Amino acid sequence: MKKIIYCFPIVVLLILCSFKTGTDLKKQVEDTLRPYILKEAIWAMAQQPLTITSEHCERSAGGRNDFYSEGDYWWPNPADPNGPYIQKDGLTNPSNFTAHRLLMIRFSRIVGALASAYKLTHNVKYIKQAEKHIKAWFIDNATRMNPNLQYAQAIKGVTTGRGIGIIDTIQLMEAVQGILAMGNNMDKEVAAGAVAWFRQYLQWLTTSQYGKNEMNAKNNHGTCWVMQVACFARLTRDKELLNFCSDRYKQVLLPSQMAADGSFPLELKRTKPYGYSIFNLDAMTTICNILSTADNNLWEYKTPDGRSIKKGIEFLYPFLADKNKWPYAKDVMYWDNWPVAGPSLIFGAMAYQNAGWLKTWVALNHEPQEAEIIRNLPVRHPLIWLN
């Protein structure tokens, strides 16, 4: 399939000069994103729907409508080239099948761009275009994706799929958020079809053995399970699941993953400690953005011993502002590609009205080209996430 290209104009210097003490941060965010959104929306308006049915891998144990991917860090065994693959943690095998993931990223990008453009302009043409893609992915029998990840992150000669593959559908979150942003102006049948699909997917995520395995993962995988379930449950208005995710954030994610200083020890011991620390913080701040309410503000929540999402941002922020200060090992791959303009800074800036964090977010890269960075960036269209 064709390479996905991200083409955002560079306007950072102009935007940095526009910051003034006491100005409304949300307006600054809109002013920052407007040229990016409108340019990407032109591209999105010209795209025809493409789903996973347009690509197939002969190694998949699933059918045409089943999502399939392969474990990134698994490689042929030099001692047994035709045998089971072996793991090389942190080292991505470029020969593995990634077409379905790239198609999902493309879909997410299209709906995110169109929903963002609608939020800026209120022009319903963006909704009509987004509906074509939403129907193709979730409703039309010939092209829709089956609502499970039974065959995600397979390993040749080892397994046809793993619970760890559930992390691949973080790419569906911006499609969901786009649907929410377009709201009641969407065609009711299209919106209802999308909601029905995610009800089925949530059922699989919460009852299948793969889903349970991922929920109980100790590191960023457990975080991303909560992030996805919370996002999808907000679309389906499943209050029970939303409450479950909130409780899990408070009782499991924060106390088991964050150290007293705000770091993530399980990520720091990986072969890519910098990128994984950023990724896990992005996921946790997105959880706070999704689940926080007036009565249950996760941005202000602290564990009995003082761990909080604010402490997590404060720990990592100096290394986002200046990577040269990073005191730990460098990532074995993609060290030069991080950091980018991720959600932890913009969501944190809005939650705590921190203009300094927002300035840093503006100055960071808004147009990552590397596929590994893109797949680990759960929020690429932040305007539709801001209430």
Side-chain angles (χ1 to χ4, degrees):
M1 62 179 290
K2 294 182 179 179
K3 183 178 179 181
I4 297 175
I5 298 175
Y6 282 65
C7 49
F8 292 109
I10 303 299
V11 294
V12 168
L13 290 178
L14 293 175
I15 295 164
L16 284 172
C17 295
S18 70
F19 279 92
K20 296 179 181 179
T21 303
T23 56
D24 177 70
L25 296 188
K26 188 172 182 181
K27 184 178 186 305
Q28 294 178 29
V29 170
E30 291 180 354
D31 290 345
T32 299
L33 294 175
R34 181 180 294 273
Y36 301 159
I37 290 168
L38 295 180
K39 183 171 183 178
E40 193 181 30
I42 293 172
W43 168 83
M45 286 295 293
Q47 302 308 302
Q48 293 302 312
L50 284 175
T51 75
I52 61 170
T53 59
S54 64
E55 297 275 357
H56 185 70
C57 178
E58 63 181 13
R59 294 187 295 275
S60 173
R64 178 68 63 176
N65 297 80
D66 290 309
F67 180 93
Y68 178 72
S69 64
E70 295 178 320
D72 295 275
Y73 306 146
W74 292 83
W75 296 70
N77 185 351
D80 185 12
N82 296 318
Y85 276 16
I86 59 173
Q87 188 178 32
K88 298 181 182 180
D89 189 35
L91 300 177
T92 300
N93 181 351
S95 298
N96 285 341
F97 183 81
T98 60
H100 286 178
R101 182 189 294 155
L102 292 175
L103 284 162
M104 194 176 283
I105 289 172
R106 176 183 181 270
F107 170 55
S108 171
R109 179 191 171 196
I110 288 170
V111 177
L114 294 170
S116 297
Y118 171 73
K119 195 167 182 179
L120 279 179
T121 67
H122 306 292
N123 190 326
V124 295
K125 72 178 183 180
Y126 297 116
I127 293 180
K128 298 304 180 186
Q129 173 72 354
E131 287 173 350
K132 298 176 185 177
H133 296 268
I134 293 165
K135 285 177 65 177
W137 274 85
F138 302 133
I139 299 172
D140 292 345
N141 288 330
T143 58
R144 73 193 291 266
M145 172 181 158
N146 287 334
N148 65 70
L149 252 66
Q150 194 68 32
Y151 307 103
Q153 294 214 18
I155 304 170
K156 184 180 177 181
V158 178
T159 181
T160 59
R162 297 179 293 163
I164 202 171
I166 286 170
I167 204 167
D168 283 344
T169 46
I170 64 170
Q171 306 301 338
L172 290 180
M173 294 197 311
E174 289 215 323
V176 166
Q177 197 62 29
I179 292 169
L180 289 169
M182 293 182 288
N184 293 330
N185 293 297
M186 282 187 63
D187 178 271
K188 288 182 172 53
E189 289 187 6
V190 175
V195 169
W197 191 95
F198 278 99
R199 282 203 184 102
Q200 290 182 288
Y201 188 43
L202 281 169
Q203 177 71 14
W204 184 84
L205 282 175
T206 55
T207 62
S208 70
Q209 190 58 55
Y210 282 173
K212 293 176 182 178
N213 291 346
E214 192 72 346
M215 179 187 73
N216 291 314
K218 304 297 184 184
N219 60 2
N220 63 79
H221 281 267
T223 308
C224 286
W225 185 94
V226 172
M227 177 175 66
Q228 291 186 72
V229 171
C231 178
F232 305 155
R234 184 161 62 169
L235 176 68
T236 64
R237 300 185 181 184
D238 191 323
K239 292 182 179 180
E240 183 177 349
L241 269 181
L242 290 170
N243 290 336
F244 177 84
C245 289
S246 179
D247 290 343
R248 193 158 185 86
Y249 169 80
K250 294 176 181 178
Q251 298 168 13
V252 178
L253 299 184
L254 266 187
S256 68
Q257 292 198 35
M258 183 179 286
D261 64 356
S263 67
F264 298 119
L266 292 175
E267 310 305 335
L268 289 177
K269 71 179 185 180
R270 297 289 298 276
T271 58
K272 295 190 289 188
Y274 186 64
Y276 275 123
S277 293
I278 294 171
F279 180 50
N280 203 42
L281 183 64
D282 281 346
M284 282 204 184
T285 52
T286 302
I287 289 170
C288 292
N289 185 72
I290 293 169
L291 293 174
S292 289
T293 65
D295 298 326
N296 181 34
N297 189 349
L298 298 186
W299 294 107
E300 299 301 325
Y301 175 78
K302 295 181 180 180
T303 63
D305 60 0
R307 303 170 208 219
S308 68
I309 196 63
K310 187 176 184 181
K311 182 168 283 189
I313 300 173
E314 289 172 341
F315 171 84
L316 199 58
Y317 173 72
F319 314 126
L320 296 174
D322 183 359
K323 185 168 63 174
N324 292 323
K325 294 180 179 179
W326 181 248
Y328 306 97
K330 292 184 178 180
D331 295 5
V332 295
M333 290 185 76
Y334 311 110
W335 168 256
D336 293 333
N337 301 97
W338 291 109
V340 296
S344 62
L345 286 180
I346 186 170
F347 290 164
M350 300 304 294
Y352 303 113
Q353 292 294 287
N354 190 313
W357 291 353
L358 192 61
K359 272 190 178 183
T360 299
W361 172 79
V362 170
L364 290 173
N365 181 15
H366 288 256
E367 49 177 353
Q369 300 295 315
E370 173 56 54
E372 178 74 4
I373 305 304
I374 293 167
R375 83 177 184 94
N376 288 316
L377 189 60
V379 171
R380 292 184 292 272
H381 299 89
L383 187 63
I384 58 177
W385 293 85
L386 300 179
N387 297 321

